Amino acid sequence: MECSFALTGKDYVLVAADTTSARSIIKMKVDEDKIKTLSPHLLMAYSGEPGDTVQFAEYIERNIRLYHIRNLYPLRPQSAASWIRRALAESLRSRQSYTVNLLVGGFDTADKTPHLYWIDYLGTMATVPFAAHGYGSYFASSLLDRYHNPDGTLEEGLDALRRAIDETAKRLVVSPGKYTVKVVDKDGVRVIDL
Amino acid sequence: MSIMDHNGGSVIAMAGKDCVAIASDLRLGAGAQTIAMNFEKVFPVTDRLYMGLPGLATDVITLREKFRYLTNMFHIKESRPLQPSTFAHLLSSTLYERRFGPYFCEPVLAGLELTPSGTYQPYIAGTDLIGCLNFAKDFIVAGTASDKLFGVAEGLWEPDLGPEDLFETISQTLLNSVDRDAYSGWGAIVHVITADKVVTRTLKGRMD
């Protein structure tokens, strides 16, 4: 089943999402990247109803890009997250709503701070130091309560993330096999091999 | 379990002597799972009016943004201060607009109303999710711990409390009520509004 995790550290945000694309009990694909780079310093991990997820993520990606092109500067993480939340909240009260859960992580280049937002399909948004979606959240939230350090180095953050992923692999019956891990900091976005 | 209880959270407002207080817990959950412990549900409307919004968190944020827009528009158009009683009816009619597909919030207001003689009078009010106004002289409660809040507030509240005594009363009422509610808690935030200032304090509760 789908799992995504994210955590902040000293001047960075780590975002991880599993790579499986499943339909019912069948794995259709095992190398799907479910973390979009919305702007040079903004990441979004998405999960939920297949179809809705990609459709919604691309809609968000294109609109954030359009803002960047029009204004020559990107939306800051706080503003981008608010806009994405509003898109979901408005969709919720439409005839066909998007069933998409998000983790939005970004580095604000203006005041040099990392930001992480937990957003669910209802349009609920929370500003958090660490977050998770899916069955993995039952293991990750308690582990990260204990091991997360908001001022930790990237290496410490990766250790905490590994704990969460390893515990999910160990204890969850329907655990995913592989994850993509991305980090965003002052230098932008890069992929990390765990 | 109702959609009103999905995210949990509680708000209480109390009237004192020339002051009012409003407080909320800080939990944001998704069912029984706690997501965040920093989710404030009380927002400033004017310098002397605060609004608490317990209920479904997506609507808490949406309504907070909607009323920020509406009060800003009032200030631009009318260029006069927005009185609590005026805002209460704006709140009521805005919620009733969605009579058959409501926002799942039960707002609570606490503020000081300017009287014709130039003094300020305590004003507290609450509504249900479709905007039925409820004025009270003593206290207003809402949220997942509302039943417990009613009981404790009924026992602790007394008339004509000063700002410091009112702070103690509202804080003890909220903290002791949310301890008996699994969907509320994780600390609290209290605003005490007097004519010349607002004092905001963040409280630690039982952090479990």
Side-chain angles (χ1 to χ4, degrees):
Chain A
M1 292 298 226
E2 285 189 310
C3 293
S4 46
F5 310 106
L7 57 94
T8 59
K10 187 162 174 55
D11 305 327
Y12 69 87
V13 185
L14 264 174
V15 183
D18 72 288
T19 56
T20 50
S21 178
R23 192 178 143 181
S24 173
I25 54 164
I26 310 291
K27 277 182 189 169
M28 307 298 268
K29 198 165 179 282
V30 287
D31 58 353
E32 175 104 326
D33 182 4
K34 291 187 273 194
I35 308 174
K36 274 220 182 304
T37 304
L38 301 180
S39 63
H41 296 275
L42 195 63
L43 286 172
M44 180 175 82
Y46 53 89
S47 55
E49 192 69 33
D52 279 9
T53 48
V54 179
Q55 190 76 17
F56 183 77
E58 286 183 0
Y59 167 74
I60 295 299
E61 185 186 31
R62 290 298 121 194
N63 275 98
I64 297 278
R65 178 87 184 109
L66 177 64
Y67 184 97
H68 194 167
I69 293 167
R70 276 183 175 163
N71 299 285
L72 304 175
Y73 55 84
L75 269 179
R76 290 168 74 173
Q78 160 78 260
S79 319
S82 288
W83 186 82
I84 296 167
R85 187 209 80 82
R86 177 154 280 252
L88 272 176
E90 280 171 4
S91 145
L92 183 72
R93 285 167 197 278
S94 68
R95 213 155 64 85
Q96 268 299 338
S97 62
Y98 288 112
T99 310
V100 184
N101 299 315
L102 308 167
L103 297 174
V104 177
F107 184 80
D108 192 335
T109 47
D111 61 8
K112 311 212 179 336
T113 48
H115 295 267
L116 177 61
Y117 302 95
W118 179 96
I119 301 175
D120 75 359
Y121 71 100
L122 298 167
T124 314
M125 182 168 84
T127 312
V128 284
F130 53 84
H133 275 301
Y135 284 119
S137 71
Y138 295 107
F139 308 108
S141 39
S142 48
L143 271 169
L144 293 174
D145 266 331
R146 174 66 184 79
Y147 293 107
H148 175 254
N149 175 10
D151 298 316
T153 60
L154 183 58
E155 216 27 70
E156 275 185 89
L158 285 168
D159 283 343
L161 183 63
R162 267 186 218 108
R163 274 186 192 273
I165 287 175
D166 290 348
E167 191 67 12
T168 307
K170 186 178 174 186
R171 295 289 176 184
L172 186 63
V173 176
V174 283
S175 64
K178 267 176 61 197
Y179 289 84
T180 38
V181 181
K182 294 187 187 180
V183 65
V184 56
D185 57 15
K186 65 176 176 13
D187 304 319
V189 174
R190 60 184 187 281
V191 181
I192 285 188
D193 202 18
L194 259 191
Chain B
M1 200 176 71
S2 151
I3 191 73
M4 296 283 291
D5 305 331
H6 179 68
N7 297 116
S10 302
V11 170
I12 180 171
M14 278 184 176
K17 187 172 171 53
D18 303 320
C19 61
V20 287
I22 184 165
S24 81
D25 70 325
L26 295 175
R27 181 178 180 270
L28 171 76
Q33 190 184 19
T34 301
I35 302 297
M37 298 82 93
N38 58 357
F39 193 77
E40 288 183 30
K41 298 156 196 80
V42 178
F43 308 101
V45 180
T46 66
D47 292 348
R48 293 189 185 87
L49 176 64
Y50 278 64
M51 171 173 58
L53 288 167
L56 188 66
T58 177
D59 291 342
V60 171
I61 306 171
T62 306
L63 282 177
R64 189 257 171 300
E65 288 171 358
K66 195 180 186 76
F67 285 113
R68 186 173 56 193
Y69 167 75
L70 289 172
T71 48
N72 284 346
M73 289 305 286
F74 182 94
H75 282 297
I76 293 167
K77 284 182 176 163
E78 304 282 334
S79 55
R80 65 188 164 95
L82 175 59
Q83 290 305 315
S85 58
T86 315
F87 183 77
H89 287 93
L90 176 71
L91 176 66
S92 172
S93 58
T94 308
L95 289 177
Y96 199 76
E97 264 181 11
R98 294 271 182 282
R99 171 62 180 81
F100 296 109
Y103 292 114
F104 295 98
C105 283
E106 294 185 327
V108 174
L109 293 178
L112 293 173
E113 177 104 352
L114 185 63
T115 57
S117 56
T119 58
Y120 287 99
Q121 197 179 34
Y123 183 99
I124 53 169
T127 88
D128 65 1
L129 73 170
I130 54 169
C132 177
L133 280 168
N134 166 28
F135 306 107
K137 287 195 177 65
D138 42 10
F139 51 81
I140 298 273
V141 298
T144 54
S146 61
D147 44 358
K148 293 103 183 169
L149 284 163
F150 263 124
V152 184
E154 201 73 74
L156 293 186
W157 185 86
E158 45 190 282
D160 297 326
L161 290 166
E164 284 310 309
D165 289 338
L166 188 67
F167 165 72
E168 198 62 30
T169 307
I170 197 169
S171 303
Q172 290 297 340
T173 305
L174 184 69
L175 288 176
N176 289 291
S177 300
V178 298
D179 280 356
R180 287 284 178 182
D181 181 32
Y183 297 107
S184 304
W186 284 105
I189 187 158
V190 186
H191 308 270
V192 181
I193 307 161
T194 49
D196 53 341
K197 65 175 187 294
V198 179
V199 179
T200 301
R201 297 183 181 94
T202 307
L203 308 177
K204 272 190 179 175
R206 273 181 62 129
M207 305 303 266
D208 60 355

